[in-house]
Structure formats: structure tokens, C-alpha cells
Amino acid sequence: MKNKKRLIVANWKMNPQTTDEAKKIFSSIKKGIGITKNSEVCICPPYPFIYPLYKLKFPKNLFLGAQNVSSYEKGAFTGDVSISMLNDLGVKYVIVGHSERRANGESNEIIKKKIEIAFLNNIIPILCIGEKERDHDASYLDFIRSQIKECLNGIEKKYLLGMIVAYEPVWAIGKSYKESMNPTDIHEMTLIIKKIGGELFGKDIGDSFKILYGGSVEIENAPSILEYGNIDGFLVGHASLDPVQFARIIKNADVKR
Ligand code: PGA
């Protein structure tokens, strides 16, 4: 992997409720993390807070991301936000295919369009995948395979190299660290995802995938997932709204690899 830095992404979802609060959380995170050497941090606030945060000062290890983007470039798509609009606001990353969007009917086909549109506009997509439940005959692995295949098939190889894939088992999202996935299973999944990527697109591509883990990452389980989970970073939901906890997770992740 070329860029060995870890990537820690904050997914604020539909929180907080005011611009003032968003700025406060952002500033506390910035203060708390200081200068990280071995990791990059990306904050994905709700759309209305992107501009007010963009106007604040950013250290060079901290970036803005968006939680979603339209699969269309422009036009009559009420409620959608285009990739050019995000570009205009200095957004570096965009989350695509989050399970909470998929639950609203977003298909792999639409997610693929979003990935293409992001790459073409120099914004880095973060593709979320993950099974809803684990069954004994392991058919969840076929599910993961089809998510990877249908979301990435046909995307240019130059873009697929270093593709960021956030593995988020849906059953582990929004709980506590006690119900999160254990590091050994996370390790296994990172290997499986890279292997599937290799089988579908070539070993060089599969091996280059940057795998984030998401699903109830808290300060209690972050260190062991970092140590044993074989991951390149985290996608953190609720714990990223707690600046003290989030900064501690980042400090933990900021070790040389
Ligand atoms: P969580 O959310 O950390 O609150 O589980 C993660 C996510 O949904 O991205």
C-alpha cells in the first residue's frame, strides 16, 4: 500500500442539530487531536454544516467529507446534492452506500454511479459494505461478494487501486463496543474482502484496498481492533460526536505501521 497512513472518518449522521454545536464539536476535535503523524482524519457532517466548517481553519491532517452525493451531475433532482457542489466546498471524501442509505432503497447500481462521479470529480469515495446478519452457512459472504462486484465492476483500474472500502456489519452499527465485532473476525473479513477484490479485479487491486472498520467503534474496543483487526482505519459514528472520546481513538490510531 502506497499511503500507509491510517484514515479515521467521523460519520456524524443527522447530528448535531445546530451550526453552533457542529462548530463546537469540530473545534474540540481539532484541539484534541493536534498534529497526527501517521493518520488522516475526515469529518463528515450533515450537508448544511459543511460550509460553516469549511470556513474554519484546518490543520493539514484534517479534512471534510460528505455523507452522500447524488448519482446525477446536475438537474431536476429535488433534494439531491451534486458532486460539483461538494467540490466547491473543499470536500475531499464522500461516503457512498452506507447501510442507512441502502435501507432507503439505494442499490449497488446507484452506488456504482456515485463512485464513478466522485472519481471523475477528484473526490475520494468511501464505499460501505456489510452484511445485515451472519448465518451459519456463511451466505453473508456471497452477499459481500455481490456488493463488491456490483459496486465496482467496470470502474477504471487506476481508480480501483487503493480503493477505500469501509466494512460495516449492519448488525454491529449503533450499539456499544460490547456488541461490536471482535478483532479476530474483523481481521478475517479484511482478508476476505481483499481476496474477493483480487479475484474480481486482479490481485494488485485487491491487495491495495484500504479497509476501514465501522460498527460501534468506541474508545474501549478501538485499541484491540487496531492491534488485531488488520485494518487501515475506522468509520466512527456515535463516538465521533464525543470529541474527547474521538480524539482518544485517533491518538490510538496514530502509531507508525
Ligand atoms: P456507529 O456508526 O459507530 O454509531 O456504530 C457507524 C456507522 O454507521 O458508520
Side-chain angles (χ1 to χ4, degrees):
M1 194 196 328
K2 253 191 289 162
N3 182 0
K4 283 194 108 121
K5 281 191 177 176
R6 285 208 163 103
L7 175 64
I8 317 297
V9 182
N11 177 11
W12 284 0
K13 309 194 178 184
M14 205 167 70
N15 301 293
Q17 301 310 311
T18 65
T19 309
D20 267 1
E21 276 178 277
K23 282 186 183 168
K24 265 190 210 136
I25 298 171
F26 177 82
S27 301
S28 309
I29 291 174
K30 190 164 77 172
K31 215 165 132 206
I33 62 176
I35 301 296
T36 51
K37 285 207 182 80
N38 303 299
S39 53
E40 282 188 356
V41 180
C42 167
I43 309 280
C44 302
Y47 287 140
F49 304 146
I50 294 180
Y51 185 67
L53 295 187
Y54 168 66
K55 299 298 269 178
L56 302 176
K57 274 212 174 86
F58 278 74
K60 61 179 192 310
N61 54 335
L62 189 56
F63 301 93
L64 270 175
Q67 298 174 17
N68 189 23
V69 67
S70 177
S71 58
Y72 299 100
E73 301 228 18
K74 59 179 169 184
F77 301 102
T78 304
D80 268 16
V81 169
S82 77
I83 200 80
S84 308
M85 296 170 190
L86 297 179
N87 234 332
D88 207 32
L89 296 175
V91 164
K92 180 173 178 186
Y93 296 95
V94 64
I95 297 173
V96 293
H98 191 281
S99 58
E100 287 152 16
R101 307 288 330 161
R102 291 179 186 263
N104 284 333
E106 192 164 297
S107 65
N108 289 331
E109 198 186 339
I110 293 175
I111 294 162
K112 181 176 150 180
K113 277 197 196 154
K114 294 184 178 191
I115 293 172
E116 276 167 342
I117 252 177
F119 278 130
L120 288 172
N121 287 276
N122 297 317
I123 291 187
I124 303 168
I126 299 170
L127 167 63
C128 298
I129 58 168
E131 76 280 4
K132 288 197 198 84
E133 54 190 16
R134 297 214 138 189
D135 49 332
H136 293 302
D137 53 4
S139 60
Y140 66 88
L141 291 178
D142 296 334
F143 183 78
I144 295 287
R145 188 187 183 85
S146 55
Q147 282 189 328
I148 298 173
K149 186 172 176 188
E150 289 168 26
C151 292
L152 298 179
N153 213 3
I155 300 220
E156 273 190 68
K157 185 169 173 166
K158 68 170 185 208
Y159 293 137
L160 289 182
L161 277 166
M163 180 78 208
I164 304 177
V165 180
Y167 171 61
E168 300 205 298
V170 181
W171 51 267
I173 291 178
K175 309 248 169 79
S176 95
Y177 73 94
K178 293 183 191 137
E179 290 158 277
S180 183
M181 195 175 208
N182 75 58
T184 324
D185 288 349
I186 294 173
H187 191 130
E188 187 183 37
M189 282 311 293
T190 61
L191 297 179
I192 289 172
I193 291 165
K194 287 183 189 218
K195 186 162 174 277
I196 293 173
E199 286 163 5
L200 292 171
F201 312 112
K203 190 171 180 318
D204 53 338
I205 289 179
D207 288 348
S208 77
F209 279 3
K210 208 167 165 150
I211 315 277
L212 313 185
Y213 170 76
S216 299
V217 173
E218 296 181 339
I219 186 55
E220 287 86 352
N221 57 347
S224 59
I225 299 176
L226 283 164
E227 191 165 352
Y228 304 111
N230 190 32
I231 50 151
D232 301 302
F234 286 128
L235 180 47
V236 186
H238 62 272
S240 69
L241 289 155
D242 171 352
V244 174
Q245 181 172 186
F246 189 54
R248 284 179 63 202
I249 292 172
I250 291 160
K251 289 254 145 116
N252 256 286
D254 195 37
V255 288
K256 209 166 177 178
R257 303 204 282 161

